Amino acid sequence: MKDIELYDIISLKNGKDYTVIRMIEENEKMYLLLAGVDENEEPDIHDIRIVEEITKNGKKMIKEIQDATLLENLKEQFSSALNADI
C-alpha cells in the first residue's frame, strides 16, 4: 500500500470503502479518522472509524484499535481537530 493521504479512498476487509478525513500522529504512530463513502464517494459522517496505520513486512496496512482508553483519547483529539476547522 502506498503512503496514505487525506481524502484517499480505502477499501477495508469488510468490503466497504472509506475516505481519510483526518490524520493524527501521536507517539510516532499515525492514526486515521475514516468516514464511509457512498457510490458517489461522498462521506457518511454516521459511519466513522478510527484506525492505526502500520507497516508490516514493508507494506503499509491499517488495523483496528483495540485499546479503549487510546480510542477514547483519539476520539477527543479528532473531535477537537474537526471543531477547529469549523
Side-chain angles (χ1 to χ4, degrees), residues 9 15 29-30 47-49 52 54 60-61 68-69 75 77-78 86:
I9 302 294
K29 294 182 179 183
M30 184 63 70
D47 185 9
I48 298 290
R49 291 183 180 247
E52 179 183 348
I54 62 170
K60 297 270 184 177
M61 305 172 77
T69 303
K75 284 180 185 178
Q77 289 185 53
F78 280 121
I86 295 177

Side-chain angles (χ1 to χ4, degrees), residues 28-43:
E28 300 181 21
K29 294 182 179 183
M30 184 63 70
Y31 298 99
L32 312 172
L33 179 64
L34 307 178
V37 293
D38 62 18
E39 60 277 351
N40 297 319
E41 296 186 349
E42 293 294 324

Side-chain angles (χ1 to χ4, degrees), residues 42-53:
E42 293 294 324
D44 176 2
I45 61 168
H46 300 292
D47 185 9
I48 298 290
R49 291 183 180 247
I50 299 174
V51 297
E52 179 183 348
E53 179 184 46

Side-chain angles (χ1 to χ4, degrees), residues 3-63:
D3 285 342
I4 298 172
E5 298 178 8
L6 281 177
Y7 312 115
D8 280 353
I9 302 294
I10 299 171
S11 296
L12 297 185
K13 288 182 181 180
N14 66 5
K16 293 184 75 175
D17 290 338
Y18 291 82
T19 186
V20 179
I21 56 175
R22 201 47 96 223
M23 302 169 80
I24 292 177
E25 185 174 351
E26 182 173 306
N27 298 325
E28 300 181 21
K29 294 182 179 183
M30 184 63 70
Y31 298 99
L32 312 172
L33 179 64
L34 307 178
V37 293
D38 62 18
E39 60 277 351
N40 297 319
E41 296 186 349
E42 293 294 324
D44 176 2
I45 61 168
H46 300 292
D47 185 9
I48 298 290
R49 291 183 180 247
I50 299 174
V51 297
E52 179 183 348
E53 179 184 46
I54 62 170
T55 302
K56 188 174 183 177
N57 299 326
K59 295 181 181 181
K60 297 270 184 177
M61 305 172 77
I62 57 174
K63 74 173 191 174

